Amino acid sequence: DVDRSFEVTKATATVTLGSLNVTYDGSQKAATATTNPASLPVDFTYDLSATAPTNAGSYAVVGTINHANYQGSASGTLVIATATQTITFGTLADRAYTTTQFALTATASSGLSVAYAIVSGPATLSGGNLTITGIGTVTVRASQAGNGNFNAAPDVDRSFEVTKATATVTLGSL
């Protein structure tokens, strides 16, 4: 009798990464993989972390087969693009001259804070509060500059007319 021994090594399988170009939406973004042979389990790392990223940016991805009989891996880059956002800024009603401040109420779809500016007209701003300083047309701009996850929103301008206030005159006795 002659005994022979040999070692059986893992067979090579291929891994193809998918879902590598996505857009930020606040949730984790995981790559996908297909294997040949099909349906082998794949473990992923993102910049050497097992946690899938959430924020916009580029992340080095490695997908490695985790199977007793097969081996293989693939690498790529997961790109999470910045998302677009919009501003909702309702119509500003015409009004008579007053020195009472009123609040502006624009919102960004991103949830980020909106900034305001007077484009033209007789008014001043203190944060989101507008004070009329004379009569005429006032144009207010709402803007949101974006951040690492959102692009800047398109500015939204709103105009309204300020008319003369009605004054009451009381005459005393003659």
Side-chain angles (χ1 to χ4, degrees):
D1 289 346
V2 177
D3 290 336
R4 299 279 185 241
S5 61
F6 61 94
E7 189 167 326
V8 176
T9 60
K10 291 183 176 187
T12 300
T14 60
V15 178
T16 303
L17 298 177
S19 301
L20 295 179
N21 292 296
V22 295
T23 300
Y24 174 82
D25 68 2
S27 64
Q28 285 186 319
K29 299 298 178 191
T32 60
T34 55
T35 61
N36 185 10
S39 302
L40 295 173
V42 176
D43 293 335
F44 294 95
T45 60
Y46 307 89
D47 285 348
L48 304 178
S49 170
T51 303
T54 301
N55 292 319
S58 295
Y59 302 87
V61 178
V62 177
T64 304
I65 293 175
N66 182 4
H67 192 274
N69 298 321
Y70 292 95
Q71 64 183 356
S73 66
S75 59
T77 302
L78 170 65
V79 177
I80 302 175
T82 52
T84 59
Q85 63 172 328
T86 58
I87 294 174
T88 301
F89 190 17
T91 303
L92 299 174
D94 294 343
R95 57 191 72 222
Y97 175 81
T98 179
T99 57
T100 304
Q101 286 186 343
F102 65 94
L104 300 172
T105 57
T107 58
S109 61
S110 63
L112 298 171
S113 62
V114 174
Y116 303 98
I118 300 296
V119 176
S120 63
T124 61
L125 281 170
S126 176
N129 294 315
L130 186 140
T131 301
I132 297 169
T133 59
I135 61 168
T137 302
V138 176
T139 302
V140 180
R141 175 168 293 148
S143 60
Q144 206 314 303
N147 64 10
N149 292 319
F150 288 96
N151 296 318
D155 292 341
V156 177
D157 290 354
R158 294 290 182 250
S159 296
F160 65 96
E161 290 293 321
V162 179
T163 58
K164 290 182 178 182
T166 303
T168 303
V169 175
T170 306
L171 299 175
S173 59
L174 296 175

